[in-house]
Amino acid sequence: MKKKHLAIVLSNLKGFEKPKLELEQYKTPGDVAAELLWLAYSMRDIEGKIIADLGAGTGVLSIGASLMGAKKVYAVEKDEAALEIARENTRTLGIDNIKFIHCNVSDFRTKVDAVIMNPPFGSQNPKADRPFLLKAFEISDVIYSIHLTKEEVRKFIEAFTRDNSFKITHRLTATFEIPAQFFFHKKRLEQILVDIYRFERSELPPYG
Ligand code: SAH
């Protein structure tokens, strides 16, 4: 499958019906998801691997990983309405290797080969991304994650990964389009910049 084709398939998946503001439910845009998955695939982190998608929402990243040849994907999501949409998206494509886990990411305890995630950016609840990062550090040696392209966020990610004995191996910047789904969006389509990261467990002790 080509990256463009993957982006289109993922863009066409069903989105959140009633996105919940407090959970920062934005469907990951197909092109951003494809960018993350392409990097992961080229780093040999997807094919034949066990993956966890933390805050799986409508299932975009989980489905993309499955299409790229993951052996098994855990789609972890605390909102049942979102999970129902993810299940529907999976059925539409005839995918059967995604296991849906209805829980808070903090309660998920299975070790995996790689985590892929688009956590809340923390614009509603500052620090909402922390439990996602901490869980990812706990269950995997390789992590792909999406965060805002902002100086203070970059500084935080750099320090937080280092303090948890991870290192940043890749950082790609992409445009993330959010449709006007919440009252505070004035434009029809809001464009923000995001960084797609790859983190890997580092042998070095923090500050070493
Ligand atoms: N990649 C997803 C979107 C992620 S948006 C997609 O394309 O649809 C972030 C998701 O994390 C939302 O679905 C939200 O419900 C979920 N979420 C937020 N906090 C959570 C938590 N503590 N535990 C589990 N899921 C959470």
Side-chain angles (χ1 to χ4, degrees), residues 12-24:
N12 288 336
L13 293 175
K14 193 171 167 193
F16 291 100
E17 243 152 37
K18 290 185 195 129
K20 298 188 175 89
L21 176 60
E22 71 282 6
L23 293 178
E24 291 193 48

Side-chain angles (χ1 to χ4, degrees), residues 23-26 28 55-58 60 77-78 104-105 118 132:
L23 293 178
E24 291 193 48
Q25 292 184 329
Y26 306 116
T28 308
T58 60
V60 170
E77 169 61 52
K78 75 172 179 186
N104 192 304
V105 291
N118 181 187
F132 284 73

